[in-house]
Short mmCIF file of all heavy atoms in Angstrom, two decimals:
data_model
loop_
_atom_site.label_atom_id
_atom_site.label_comp_id
_atom_site.label_asym_id
_atom_site.label_seq_id
_atom_site.Cartn_x
_atom_site.Cartn_y
_atom_site.Cartn_z
N TRP A 106 112.26 239.29 -24.20
CA TRP A 106 112.18 239.09 -22.74
C TRP A 106 113.55 239.19 -22.10
O TRP A 106 113.69 239.74 -21.00
CB TRP A 106 111.56 237.72 -22.46
CG TRP A 106 110.07 237.69 -22.62
CD1 TRP A 106 109.28 238.66 -23.19
CD2 TRP A 106 109.18 236.66 -22.21
NE1 TRP A 106 107.97 238.28 -23.17
CE2 TRP A 106 107.87 237.06 -22.57
CE3 TRP A 106 109.36 235.42 -21.60
CZ2 TRP A 106 106.76 236.28 -22.32
CZ3 TRP A 106 108.24 234.63 -21.34
CH2 TRP A 106 106.96 235.05 -21.69
N LEU A 107 114.56 238.67 -22.76
CA LEU A 107 115.91 238.78 -22.22
C LEU A 107 116.35 240.24 -22.14
O LEU A 107 116.89 240.69 -21.11
CB LEU A 107 116.88 237.98 -23.10
CG LEU A 107 118.37 238.11 -22.79
CD1 LEU A 107 118.67 237.64 -21.37
CD2 LEU A 107 119.21 237.33 -23.80
N GLU A 108 116.11 240.99 -23.21
CA GLU A 108 116.48 242.41 -23.21
C GLU A 108 115.66 243.19 -22.18
O GLU A 108 116.19 244.09 -21.51
CB GLU A 108 116.25 243.00 -24.61
CG GLU A 108 117.18 242.46 -25.68
CD GLU A 108 118.60 243.00 -25.54
OE1 GLU A 108 118.84 243.83 -24.64
OE2 GLU A 108 119.47 242.59 -26.32
N LYS A 109 114.39 242.86 -22.05
CA LYS A 109 113.54 243.51 -21.05
C LYS A 109 114.08 243.26 -19.64
O LYS A 109 114.10 244.17 -18.80
CB LYS A 109 112.11 242.97 -21.18
CG LYS A 109 111.16 243.36 -20.07
CD LYS A 109 110.77 244.83 -20.15
CE LYS A 109 109.76 245.18 -19.09
NZ LYS A 109 109.41 246.62 -19.10
N THR A 110 114.54 242.04 -19.38
CA THR A 110 115.09 241.70 -18.06
C THR A 110 116.34 242.52 -17.78
O THR A 110 116.53 243.04 -16.68
CB THR A 110 115.41 240.20 -18.00
OG1 THR A 110 114.20 239.46 -18.24
CG2 THR A 110 115.96 239.82 -16.63
N LEU A 111 117.23 242.64 -18.79
CA LEU A 111 118.45 243.43 -18.62
C LEU A 111 118.11 244.90 -18.37
O LEU A 111 118.74 245.56 -17.53
CB LEU A 111 119.33 243.29 -19.86
CG LEU A 111 119.98 241.92 -20.08
CD1 LEU A 111 120.70 241.88 -21.42
CD2 LEU A 111 120.97 241.62 -18.95
N LEU A 112 117.14 245.42 -19.11
CA LEU A 112 116.73 246.82 -18.92
C LEU A 112 116.19 247.04 -17.52
O LEU A 112 116.52 248.03 -16.85
CB LEU A 112 115.68 247.18 -19.97
CG LEU A 112 115.06 248.58 -19.86
CD1 LEU A 112 116.11 249.65 -20.16
CD2 LEU A 112 113.88 248.72 -20.81
N TYR A 113 115.38 246.11 -17.05
CA TYR A 113 114.78 246.23 -15.72
C TYR A 113 115.84 246.12 -14.63
O TYR A 113 115.79 246.83 -13.61
CB TYR A 113 113.72 245.14 -15.54
CG TYR A 113 113.03 245.16 -14.20
CD1 TYR A 113 112.03 246.08 -13.92
CD2 TYR A 113 113.40 244.27 -13.19
CE1 TYR A 113 111.39 246.10 -12.70
CE2 TYR A 113 112.77 244.29 -11.96
CZ TYR A 113 111.77 245.21 -11.71
OH TYR A 113 111.16 245.24 -10.49
N ALA A 114 116.82 245.24 -14.83
CA ALA A 114 117.80 244.98 -13.78
C ALA A 114 118.94 245.98 -13.76
O ALA A 114 119.43 246.35 -12.68
CB ALA A 114 118.37 243.56 -13.95
N PHE A 115 119.38 246.45 -14.95
CA PHE A 115 120.61 247.24 -15.00
C PHE A 115 120.46 248.62 -15.64
O PHE A 115 121.43 249.37 -15.69
CB PHE A 115 121.70 246.46 -15.75
CG PHE A 115 122.00 245.12 -15.14
CD1 PHE A 115 121.59 243.95 -15.75
CD2 PHE A 115 122.68 245.03 -13.93
CE1 PHE A 115 121.87 242.71 -15.20
CE2 PHE A 115 122.96 243.80 -13.36
CZ PHE A 115 122.55 242.64 -14.00
N GLY A 116 119.29 248.96 -16.14
CA GLY A 116 119.09 250.30 -16.65
C GLY A 116 119.28 250.42 -18.15
O GLY A 116 119.38 249.42 -18.89
N VAL A 117 119.39 251.68 -18.62
CA VAL A 117 119.29 251.98 -20.05
C VAL A 117 120.65 252.12 -20.73
O VAL A 117 120.71 252.53 -21.89
CB VAL A 117 118.51 253.31 -20.25
CG1 VAL A 117 117.09 253.18 -19.73
CG2 VAL A 117 119.24 254.48 -19.57
N ASP A 118 121.73 251.77 -20.07
CA ASP A 118 123.05 251.91 -20.69
C ASP A 118 123.13 251.08 -21.98
O ASP A 118 122.68 249.94 -22.03
CB ASP A 118 124.12 251.44 -19.72
CG ASP A 118 125.51 251.66 -20.28
OD1 ASP A 118 126.04 252.77 -20.14
OD2 ASP A 118 126.08 250.72 -20.88
N GLU A 119 123.71 251.69 -23.02
CA GLU A 119 123.78 251.03 -24.33
C GLU A 119 124.53 249.71 -24.26
O GLU A 119 124.16 248.74 -24.93
CB GLU A 119 124.45 251.95 -25.35
CG GLU A 119 123.62 253.15 -25.78
CD GLU A 119 123.76 254.34 -24.86
OE1 GLU A 119 124.44 254.22 -23.82
OE2 GLU A 119 123.18 255.41 -25.18
N ARG A 120 125.58 249.64 -23.47
CA ARG A 120 126.36 248.40 -23.39
C ARG A 120 125.54 247.27 -22.76
O ARG A 120 125.66 246.12 -23.15
CB ARG A 120 127.64 248.63 -22.58
CG ARG A 120 128.62 249.61 -23.23
CD ARG A 120 129.79 249.86 -22.32
NE ARG A 120 130.65 250.92 -22.82
CZ ARG A 120 130.45 252.21 -22.61
NH1 ARG A 120 129.41 252.60 -21.90
NH2 ARG A 120 131.29 253.11 -23.09
N VAL A 121 124.73 247.62 -21.79
CA VAL A 121 123.89 246.61 -21.15
C VAL A 121 122.91 246.03 -22.17
O VAL A 121 122.74 244.80 -22.28
CB VAL A 121 123.13 247.21 -19.96
CG1 VAL A 121 122.05 246.25 -19.47
CG2 VAL A 121 124.09 247.54 -18.83
N LEU A 122 122.24 246.90 -22.92
CA LEU A 122 121.25 246.44 -23.88
C LEU A 122 121.89 245.63 -25.02
O LEU A 122 121.23 244.79 -25.63
CB LEU A 122 120.49 247.64 -24.46
CG LEU A 122 119.65 248.43 -23.46
CD1 LEU A 122 119.02 249.63 -24.12
CD2 LEU A 122 118.58 247.55 -22.84
N ARG A 123 123.16 245.90 -25.29
CA ARG A 123 123.83 245.17 -26.38
C ARG A 123 124.63 243.97 -25.88
O ARG A 123 125.33 243.34 -26.65
CB ARG A 123 124.77 246.13 -27.12
CG ARG A 123 124.02 247.21 -27.91
CD ARG A 123 124.95 248.31 -28.31
NE ARG A 123 124.29 249.31 -29.15
CZ ARG A 123 124.72 250.56 -29.32
NH1 ARG A 123 125.82 250.95 -28.66
NH2 ARG A 123 124.09 251.39 -30.11
N LEU A 124 124.52 243.65 -24.61
CA LEU A 124 125.27 242.52 -24.07
C LEU A 124 124.90 241.20 -24.75
O LEU A 124 125.79 240.40 -25.06
CB LEU A 124 125.05 242.43 -22.55
CG LEU A 124 125.94 241.44 -21.80
CD1 LEU A 124 127.42 241.77 -22.00
CD2 LEU A 124 125.59 241.45 -20.31
N PRO A 125 123.61 240.90 -25.00
CA PRO A 125 123.30 239.66 -25.73
C PRO A 125 123.94 239.61 -27.11
O PRO A 125 124.32 238.52 -27.58
CB PRO A 125 121.77 239.68 -25.82
CG PRO A 125 121.33 240.48 -24.63
CD PRO A 125 122.38 241.55 -24.50
N SER A 126 124.08 240.76 -27.77
CA SER A 126 124.74 240.78 -29.08
C SER A 126 126.21 240.40 -28.95
O SER A 126 126.75 239.66 -29.78
CB SER A 126 124.61 242.16 -29.72
OG SER A 126 123.27 242.46 -30.01
N LEU A 127 126.87 240.90 -27.91
CA LEU A 127 128.27 240.55 -27.68
C LEU A 127 128.41 239.06 -27.40
O LEU A 127 129.26 238.38 -28.02
CB LEU A 127 128.83 241.36 -26.50
CG LEU A 127 130.23 240.96 -26.02
CD1 LEU A 127 131.27 241.24 -27.10
CD2 LEU A 127 130.58 241.68 -24.73
N VAL A 128 127.60 238.54 -26.50
CA VAL A 128 127.68 237.12 -26.17
C VAL A 128 127.37 236.27 -27.40
O VAL A 128 128.03 235.26 -27.66
CB VAL A 128 126.71 236.79 -25.02
CG1 VAL A 128 126.67 235.28 -24.77
CG2 VAL A 128 127.11 237.53 -23.76
N GLY A 129 126.39 236.69 -28.19
CA GLY A 129 126.03 235.95 -29.39
C GLY A 129 127.16 235.89 -30.40
O GLY A 129 127.46 234.82 -30.95
N MET A 130 127.81 237.01 -30.66
CA MET A 130 128.88 237.02 -31.66
C MET A 130 130.13 236.32 -31.15
O MET A 130 130.86 235.69 -31.94
CB MET A 130 129.20 238.45 -32.07
CG MET A 130 128.13 239.09 -32.95
SD MET A 130 127.64 238.09 -34.37
CE MET A 130 126.60 239.27 -35.25
N LEU A 131 130.42 236.41 -29.86
CA LEU A 131 131.52 235.61 -29.32
C LEU A 131 131.23 234.13 -29.48
O LEU A 131 132.13 233.33 -29.80
CB LEU A 131 131.74 235.95 -27.84
CG LEU A 131 132.36 237.32 -27.54
CD1 LEU A 131 132.36 237.59 -26.04
CD2 LEU A 131 133.78 237.42 -28.08
N ALA A 132 129.98 233.75 -29.27
CA ALA A 132 129.59 232.35 -29.47
C ALA A 132 129.75 231.94 -30.93
O ALA A 132 130.17 230.81 -31.23
CB ALA A 132 128.16 232.13 -29.01
N VAL A 133 129.40 232.83 -31.86
CA VAL A 133 129.58 232.54 -33.29
C VAL A 133 131.05 232.26 -33.59
O VAL A 133 131.39 231.32 -34.33
CB VAL A 133 129.06 233.71 -34.15
CG1 VAL A 133 129.48 233.55 -35.61
CG2 VAL A 133 127.54 233.80 -34.06
N LEU A 134 131.92 233.07 -33.02
CA LEU A 134 133.36 232.90 -33.23
C LEU A 134 133.82 231.53 -32.74
O LEU A 134 134.51 230.79 -33.46
CB LEU A 134 134.10 234.02 -32.50
CG LEU A 134 135.55 234.30 -32.89
CD1 LEU A 134 135.65 234.84 -34.30
CD2 LEU A 134 136.15 235.30 -31.90
N ILE A 135 133.42 231.17 -31.52
CA ILE A 135 133.86 229.91 -30.92
C ILE A 135 133.22 228.71 -31.62
O ILE A 135 133.89 227.71 -31.93
CB ILE A 135 133.53 229.91 -29.42
CG1 ILE A 135 134.34 231.00 -28.71
CG2 ILE A 135 133.82 228.55 -28.80
CD1 ILE A 135 133.91 231.25 -27.28
N LEU A 136 131.92 228.79 -31.89
CA LEU A 136 131.22 227.67 -32.52
C LEU A 136 131.73 227.42 -33.94
O LEU A 136 131.78 226.27 -34.39
CB LEU A 136 129.72 227.93 -32.53
CG LEU A 136 129.03 227.85 -31.16
CD1 LEU A 136 127.60 228.35 -31.24
CD2 LEU A 136 129.05 226.42 -30.63
N THR A 137 132.09 228.48 -34.63
CA THR A 137 132.68 228.29 -35.97
C THR A 137 133.96 227.48 -35.87
O THR A 137 134.20 226.57 -36.67
CB THR A 137 132.96 229.65 -36.63
OG1 THR A 137 131.73 230.37 -36.79
CG2 THR A 137 133.63 229.47 -37.99
N ALA A 138 134.81 227.81 -34.89
CA ALA A 138 136.05 227.07 -34.71
C ALA A 138 135.78 225.61 -34.37
O ALA A 138 136.42 224.69 -34.92
CB ALA A 138 136.89 227.72 -33.61
N VAL A 139 134.82 225.35 -33.49
CA VAL A 139 134.51 223.99 -33.08
C VAL A 139 133.96 223.17 -34.25
O VAL A 139 134.40 222.04 -34.51
CB VAL A 139 133.50 224.00 -31.91
CG1 VAL A 139 133.04 222.58 -31.59
CG2 VAL A 139 134.13 224.64 -30.68
N ILE A 140 133.01 223.74 -34.98
CA ILE A 140 132.40 223.00 -36.10
C ILE A 140 133.41 222.76 -37.20
O ILE A 140 133.49 221.66 -37.78
CB ILE A 140 131.17 223.77 -36.62
CG1 ILE A 140 130.07 223.75 -35.57
CG2 ILE A 140 130.67 223.15 -37.92
CD1 ILE A 140 128.84 224.57 -35.94
N ALA A 141 134.21 223.78 -37.53
CA ALA A 141 135.22 223.62 -38.58
C ALA A 141 136.22 222.54 -38.20
O ALA A 141 136.64 221.74 -39.05
CB ALA A 141 135.93 224.94 -38.84
N HIS A 142 136.62 222.50 -36.94
CA HIS A 142 137.57 221.47 -36.49
C HIS A 142 136.96 220.08 -36.59
O HIS A 142 137.62 219.13 -37.04
CB HIS A 142 137.99 221.76 -35.05
CG HIS A 142 139.06 220.84 -34.54
ND1 HIS A 142 138.76 219.63 -33.94
CD2 HIS A 142 140.41 220.94 -34.55
CE1 HIS A 142 139.88 219.03 -33.60
NE2 HIS A 142 140.91 219.80 -33.96
N ARG A 143 135.69 219.94 -36.21
CA ARG A 143 135.04 218.63 -36.26
C ARG A 143 134.73 218.20 -37.68
O ARG A 143 134.88 217.01 -38.03
CB ARG A 143 133.73 218.67 -35.45
CG ARG A 143 133.93 218.72 -33.95
CD ARG A 143 132.58 218.79 -33.24
NE ARG A 143 131.78 217.59 -33.48
CZ ARG A 143 131.86 216.49 -32.75
NH1 ARG A 143 132.72 216.42 -31.74
NH2 ARG A 143 131.08 215.45 -33.00
N ALA A 144 134.28 219.13 -38.51
CA ALA A 144 133.79 218.75 -39.83
C ALA A 144 134.87 218.77 -40.91
O ALA A 144 134.79 218.02 -41.88
CB ALA A 144 132.65 219.68 -40.25
N ILE A 145 135.89 219.63 -40.76
CA ILE A 145 136.86 219.82 -41.85
C ILE A 145 138.28 219.48 -41.42
O ILE A 145 138.93 218.63 -42.03
CB ILE A 145 136.79 221.28 -42.38
CG1 ILE A 145 135.33 221.70 -42.63
CG2 ILE A 145 137.59 221.41 -43.67
CD1 ILE A 145 135.15 223.17 -42.94
N GLY A 146 138.77 220.14 -40.39
CA GLY A 146 140.14 219.87 -39.95
C GLY A 146 140.70 221.00 -39.13
O GLY A 146 140.06 222.06 -38.96
N ARG A 147 141.91 220.81 -38.58
CA ARG A 147 142.50 221.79 -37.66
C ARG A 147 142.82 223.11 -38.35
O ARG A 147 142.47 224.18 -37.85
CB ARG A 147 143.75 221.20 -37.02
CG ARG A 147 143.48 220.00 -36.10
CD ARG A 147 144.77 219.48 -35.52
NE ARG A 147 145.69 219.04 -36.57
CZ ARG A 147 146.96 218.71 -36.36
NH1 ARG A 147 147.47 218.80 -35.14
NH2 ARG A 147 147.73 218.30 -37.35
N TRP A 148 143.52 223.04 -39.49
CA TRP A 148 143.87 224.29 -40.17
C TRP A 148 142.63 224.97 -40.76
O TRP A 148 142.56 226.20 -40.86
CB TRP A 148 144.91 224.05 -41.24
CG TRP A 148 146.30 223.95 -40.70
CD1 TRP A 148 147.09 222.85 -40.61
CD2 TRP A 148 147.06 225.04 -40.13
NE1 TRP A 148 148.29 223.15 -40.03
CE2 TRP A 148 148.31 224.49 -39.73
CE3 TRP A 148 146.82 226.38 -39.91
CZ2 TRP A 148 149.30 225.26 -39.13
CZ3 TRP A 148 147.81 227.16 -39.32
CH2 TRP A 148 149.02 226.59 -38.94
N ALA A 149 141.65 224.17 -41.15
CA ALA A 149 140.41 224.75 -41.65
C ALA A 149 139.72 225.55 -40.54
O ALA A 149 139.09 226.59 -40.81
CB ALA A 149 139.48 223.64 -42.14
N ALA A 150 139.83 225.09 -39.30
CA ALA A 150 139.26 225.84 -38.18
C ALA A 150 139.91 227.21 -38.05
O ALA A 150 139.24 228.21 -37.77
CB ALA A 150 139.41 225.05 -36.88
#
């Protein structure tokens, strides 16, 4: 549904359709840092 909404609103450009993938992987990067800092330590993050 999210991808369908992007397609309907912004068209068929490949970058538009892959925007959730970009946001998701950026979130993985940040969340890994946050969890590692909380659970293990600063240098572990």
Side-chain angles (χ1 to χ4, degrees):
W106 282 12
L107 173 60
E108 292 287 357
K109 169 72 176 177
T110 301
L111 291 174
L112 176 67
Y113 180 78
F115 302 107
V117 298
D118 184 85
E119 289 86 355
R120 296 175 188 84
V121 169
L122 296 176
R123 291 165 176 159
L124 189 58
S126 295
L127 172 65
V128 174
M130 287 310 188
L131 288 173
V133 169
L134 197 66
I135 295 170
L136 289 170
T137 299
V139 173
I140 292 175
H142 185 272
R143 288 179 63 87
I145 312 171
R147 294 180 300 171
W148 279 110

